[in-house]
């Protein structure tokens, strides 16, 4: 849609009607532009307000804020290491669990399912994404955590605990709630996001490529692994990063099951905390400027981390789109 | 075993595993729904919709929380929806190929996946500190900021679905772009845009994190937008983690209520979208 054509309006004569039309055009155009700029300003506003809110904490603790594990409201000393560690570890765990399952779902939906089954299954998986995170939280706390505590964690402790190196991750008492449980819940939450992107990416693979594979006598799996996957690698990574972005910032589900302990345990079975869980738990009750500011500083760190991840994901998906377009 | 048998076995194994993965995904959806139904139905009663949230140990309902959730979601979508639609219109029509649009699309994508608790912190700094206290309007603004990127995205997608020929026909008759947009493009994309709004409502009605320190909660009936207001997600959060059986029961009922409404909204939206796209393909 181009600019309003002044020439055409002038051709009709400088009537009052044309003037009114031009005025409305200008008003509407500027209204849409303003709305678009509001979206832009929001991101700026969020960034500035987080930085302003976090300034007292950053200027007081300096770089030590990032490297210290201590979190003590009584002595007013705060460090971000434990929540940052918890955020990263739970998210990585979630990815490790979610990637294979999402890949399987995407393969099933694009290559395997009969046509009548594709839609219902696809919608059902997408509905999993519509369930609010607080529901995952109470389900995780009251259903999943007891199951993990009774059946899964004792097994992990018995069989993986004595192993060298990795064994340390699976030692200690089975609390039920903790880092591992949070990773598990997060995995269930991000499966629909990752599988949806992977499915879309797989569908952009040209049929000719797949057919050439089959024509050479490849099995379905060989076509998937040697034709579809290499062709859609960038897009798949983009989808995984989007899922990672979700997992990093997820709040309520994690708050229920992480146990909220400001420490770095060597075991995945121990309670921990994440950035978002710390903020959700403590912000409303935080007294004192430094305490509040430290929590906002945590928020600023989280924003920085998720922003980089999401930006990278979008960049990759964009590149994927461009390539798909130039291939057509 | 011949090489051929191995290849076939690997094939069946891999495809079988992808079926298992799908079953696992579906299993969790149904496990969650089943838990909600089992625990939530027990507390479903008439008083749920007529009585206020009770103090520990006595009976009550969720009326104030349901009312608060509905009000804040509506105000949120009334603020975020129109801005999102206009911004989406800019991206799809006026600024389709401009560099500004590319930047705004990227920023919108970032906002779309930004952690909702960050939005809560932002609104806390923006409104709660200035006003000096928690309020329903602060909660509604937080929800609006979350609804906006969703609407921008869906509006742009839906406007792009409108055939170029229709736009050209209108332009050829001498219509200004605003006339083409409001009289031709919007009506053609109406159900798609409404779907986007429904999805935005579904997204914000279950949001908890941004309400924790904006709207907070209120034990009593309150209709004032400038005062703290009860809402389902925060009530579920507080009641589920409490040690009182009657509060936990209410939390499950609230959870069932909110999940069912969101699922109904999302399924409706999907049905509309698929009937739209089905006609075009």
């Amino acid at each position: 849609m181009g600019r309003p054509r002044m020439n055409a309006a002038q051709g009709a004569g400088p009537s009052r009607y044309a003037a009114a039309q031009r005025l409305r055009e200008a008003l509407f155009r500027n209204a849409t532009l303003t709305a678009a700029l509001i979206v832009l300003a929001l991101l700026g506003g969020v960034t500035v307000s987080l930085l302003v809110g976090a300034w007292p904490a950053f200027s007081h603790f300096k770089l030590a804020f990032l490297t210290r594990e201590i979190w003590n409201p009584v002595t007013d000393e705060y460090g971000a290491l434990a929540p940052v560690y918890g955020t990263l570890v739970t998210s990585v765990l979630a990815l490790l669990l979610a990637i294979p399952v999402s890949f399987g779902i995407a393969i099933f939906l694009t290559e395997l399912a009969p046509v009548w089954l594709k839609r219902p299954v696809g919608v059902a998986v997408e509905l999993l994404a519509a369930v609010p995170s607080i529901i995952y939280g109470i389900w995780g706390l009251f259903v999943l955590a007891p199951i993990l505590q009774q059946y899964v964690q004792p097994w992990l402790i018995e069989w993986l605990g004595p192993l060298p190196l990795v064994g340390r991750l699976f030692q200690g008492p089975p609390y039920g709630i903790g880092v591992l449980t949070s990773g598990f819940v997060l995995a269930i939450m991000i499966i629909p996001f990752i599988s949806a992107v992977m499915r879309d990416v797989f569908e952009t693979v040209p049929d000719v490529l797949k057919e050439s594979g089959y024509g050479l006598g490849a099995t379905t799996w060989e076509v998937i692994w040697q034709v579809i996957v290499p062709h859609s690698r960038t897009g798949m990574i983009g989808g995984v990063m989007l899922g990672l972005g979700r997992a990093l910032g997820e709040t309520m589900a994690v708050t229920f099951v992480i146990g909220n302990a400001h420490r770095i345990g060597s075991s995945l079975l121990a309670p921990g905390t994440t950035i978002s869980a710390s903020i959700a738990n403590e912000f409303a009750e935080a007294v004192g400027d430094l305490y509040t500011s430290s929590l906002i500083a945590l928020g600023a760190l989280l924003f920085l981390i998720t922003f980089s991840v999401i930006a990278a994901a979008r960049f990759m998906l964009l590149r994927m789109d461009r390539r798909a377009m130039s291939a057509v | 075993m011949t090489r051929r048998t191995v290849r076939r076995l690997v094939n069946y194994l891999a495809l079988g595993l992808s079926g298992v993965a799908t079953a696992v995904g579906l299993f969790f959806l149904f496990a969650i729904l089943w838990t909600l139904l089992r625990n939530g139905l027990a507390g479903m009663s008439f008083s749920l919709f007529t009585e206020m949230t009770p103090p520990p140990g006595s009976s009550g309902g969720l009326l104030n929380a349901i009312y608060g959730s509905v009000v804040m979601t509506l105000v949120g979508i009334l603020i975020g929806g129109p801005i999102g639609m206009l911004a989406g219109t800019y991206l799809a029509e006026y600024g389709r190929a401009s560099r500004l649009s590319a930047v705004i699309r990227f920023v919108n994508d970032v906002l779309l996946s930004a952690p909702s608790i960050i939005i809560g912190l932002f609104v806390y700094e923006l409104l709660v500190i200035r006003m000096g206290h928690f309020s329903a309007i602060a909660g509604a603004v937080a929800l609006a900021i979350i609804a906006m990127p969703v609407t921008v995205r869906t509006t742009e997608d839906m406007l792009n679905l409108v055939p170029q020929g229709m736009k050209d026909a209108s332009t050829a008759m001498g219509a200004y772009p605003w006339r083409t947009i409001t009289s031709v493009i919007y009506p053609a994309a109406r159900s798609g845009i409404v779907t986007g709004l429904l999805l935005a409502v579904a997204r914000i009605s279950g949001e908890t994190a941004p309400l924790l320190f904006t709207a907070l909660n209120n034990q009593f009936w309150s209709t004032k937008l400038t005062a703290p207001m009860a809402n389902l997600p925060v009530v579920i959060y507080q009641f589920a983690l409490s040690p009182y059986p009657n509060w936990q029961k209410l939390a499950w009922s609230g959870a069932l209520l909110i999940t069912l409404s969101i699922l109904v909204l999302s399924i409706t939206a999907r049905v509309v979208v698929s009937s739209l796209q089905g006609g075009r393909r």
Side-chain angles (χ1 to χ4, degrees):
Chain A
M1 194 125 315
R3 295 174 162 277
R5 266 132 314 158
M6 296 309 215
N7 294 338
Q10 278 157 1
S15 69
R16 200 173 290 171
Y17 176 76
Q21 288 286 310
R22 273 204 298 273
L23 179 65
R24 288 193 198 177
E25 175 61 33
L27 283 178
F28 188 73
R29 191 191 155 85
N30 285 323
T32 62
L33 180 63
T34 313
L37 290 176
I38 288 178
V39 174
L40 201 59
L42 265 182
L43 188 72
V46 171
T47 316
V48 169
S49 83
L50 281 179
L51 288 181
V52 168
W55 182 246
F58 280 138
S59 63
H60 187 271
F61 296 115
K62 308 251 167 30
L63 269 180
F65 185 73
L66 300 176
T67 54
R68 293 206 307 171
E69 190 184 334
I70 189 170
W71 191 267
N72 192 338
V74 180
T75 58
D76 236 11
E77 282 185 280
Y78 308 98
L81 200 58
V84 169
Y85 170 83
T87 302
L88 295 179
V89 169
T90 51
S91 302
V92 168
L93 262 180
L95 278 188
L96 289 179
L97 294 170
I99 290 175
V101 178
S102 311
F103 180 72
I105 293 177
I107 290 293
F108 181 83
L109 287 177
T110 47
E111 302 300 319
L112 212 57
V115 178
W116 58 269
L117 200 60
K118 272 187 189 178
R119 214 177 137 63
V121 172
V123 170
V125 174
E126 280 168 29
L127 285 184
L128 206 52
V131 174
S133 61
I134 187 160
I135 306 295
Y136 283 97
I138 50 177
W139 180 80
L141 180 63
F142 290 107
V143 179
L144 186 67
I147 294 178
L148 289 180
Q149 183 176 25
Q150 274 183 356
Y151 303 106
V152 180
Q153 294 187 346
W155 185 85
L156 289 175
I157 294 167
E158 193 183 333
W159 291 99
L160 299 181
L163 294 178
L165 292 174
V166 288
R168 282 182 53 202
L169 298 174
F170 302 100
Q171 283 168 357
Y175 288 99
I177 54 173
V179 175
L180 181 73
T181 313
S182 308
F184 205 108
V185 173
L186 284 175
I188 302 174
M189 298 185 68
I190 60 176
I191 283 173
F193 289 98
I194 303 183
S195 57
V197 176
M198 283 195 182
R199 182 191 59 187
D200 293 348
V201 172
F202 289 167
E203 274 173 357
T204 62
V205 177
D207 283 338
V208 184
L209 284 184
K210 294 191 235 171
E211 283 156 9
S212 332
Y214 286 121
L216 290 171
T219 61
T220 312
W221 170 249
E222 284 163 354
V223 169
I224 292 168
W225 195 247
Q226 291 170 24
V227 178
I228 299 182
V229 168
H231 189 270
S232 23
R233 193 174 290 134
T234 328
M236 284 169 67
I237 297 177
V240 169
M241 303 276 264
L242 272 192
L244 178 61
R246 284 271 152 186
L248 287 168
E250 178 45 51
T251 310
M252 296 320 293
V254 174
T255 308
F256 271 87
V257 294
I258 187 107
N260 301 305
H262 269 283
R263 59 191 185 78
I264 300 176
S266 67
S267 170
L268 293 180
L269 309 180
T273 191
T274 67
I275 293 179
S276 49
S278 303
I279 301 174
N281 257 311
E282 300 172 34
F283 195 77
E285 289 147 23
V287 282
D289 290 342
L290 204 55
Y291 195 0
T292 315
S293 173
S294 298
L295 285 167
I296 296 179
L298 281 184
L301 285 180
L302 176 65
F303 192 58
L304 183 73
I305 300 173
T306 47
F307 181 89
S308 343
V309 169
I310 297 166
R314 289 294 167 191
F315 181 70
M316 289 184 145
L317 288 174
L318 205 69
R319 232 174 56 178
M320 181 85 200
D321 276 354
R322 283 211 191 111
R323 220 178 53 181
M325 255 189 256
S326 62
V328 167
Chain B
M1 274 199 292
T2 60
R3 205 181 134 91
R4 188 177 145 76
T5 340
V6 174
R7 283 174 59 204
R8 278 176 61 185
L9 278 180
V10 169
N11 185 41
Y12 287 133
L13 186 71
L15 297 185
L17 282 179
S18 86
V20 171
T22 312
V24 167
L26 294 183
F27 168 78
F28 284 117
L29 177 65
F30 289 111
I32 289 170
L33 289 183
W34 192 71
T35 309
L36 284 179
L37 284 173
R38 206 187 46 164
N39 292 303
L41 278 181
M44 279 291 163
S45 67
F46 194 60
S47 62
L48 203 61
F49 303 96
T50 54
E51 287 176 32
M52 306 298 150
T53 47
S58 58
S59 72
L62 292 169
L63 177 63
N64 49 344
I66 296 174
Y67 171 84
S69 268
V70 170
V71 166
M72 278 189 269
T73 306
L74 281 183
V75 176
I77 200 74
L78 281 178
I79 301 173
I83 300 180
M85 277 175 59
L86 285 174
T89 308
Y90 179 82
L91 294 183
E93 305 296 338
Y94 285 113
R96 181 182 287 243
S98 71
R99 188 171 294 171
L100 177 67
S101 293
V103 174
I104 290 176
R105 256 179 226 121
F106 173 74
V107 166
N108 194 61
D109 281 341
V110 170
L111 285 176
L112 198 61
S113 344
S116 56
I117 194 155
I118 300 283
I119 307 294
L121 281 180
F122 170 59
V123 175
Y124 176 86
E125 296 262 306
L126 189 74
L127 289 178
V128 178
I129 288 186
R130 303 256 163 83
M131 291 170 78
H133 55 83
F134 299 104
S135 66
I137 189 70
V141 168
L143 294 182
I145 295 177
I146 293 168
M148 204 178 297
V150 184
T151 330
V152 173
R153 189 50 154 335
T154 51
T155 306
E156 192 195 353
D157 288 351
M158 290 304 151
L159 295 186
N160 281 335
L161 278 182
V162 176
Q164 186 63 34
M166 279 173 80
K167 303 177 190 174
D168 292 345
S170 170
T171 311
M173 288 172 71
Y176 273 88
W178 77 269
R179 175 59 93 181
T180 306
I181 292 168
T182 52
S183 306
V184 177
I185 301 179
Y186 277 167
R190 184 166 47 209
S191 41
I193 296 176
V194 172
T195 305
L197 290 175
L198 284 183
L199 284 178
V201 170
R203 168 85 199 268
I204 61 177
S205 50
E207 280 292 350
T208 316
L211 295 180
L212 281 176
F213 23 84
T214 50
L216 201 63
N217 196 358
N218 194 335
Q219 192 92 60
F220 308 102
W221 176 257
S222 164
T223 55
K224 275 207 320 205
L225 281 179
T226 50
M229 195 184 261
N231 56 87
L232 273 177
V234 176
V235 166
I236 295 173
Y237 175 55
Q238 290 181 347
F239 281 20
L241 289 177
S242 77
Y244 316 111
N246 71 316
W247 274 19
Q248 291 190 354
K249 207 171 138 191
L250 278 175
W252 282 110
S253 304
L256 177 63
L257 213 59
I258 213 166
T259 310
L260 285 186
S261 1
I262 289 174
L263 289 187
V264 166
L265 269 174
S266 329
I267 292 176
T268 318
R270 259 160 246 277
V271 169
V272 177
V273 165
S274 77
S275 66
L276 263 181
Q277 292 178 336
R280 289 233 166 73
R281 265 178 195 170

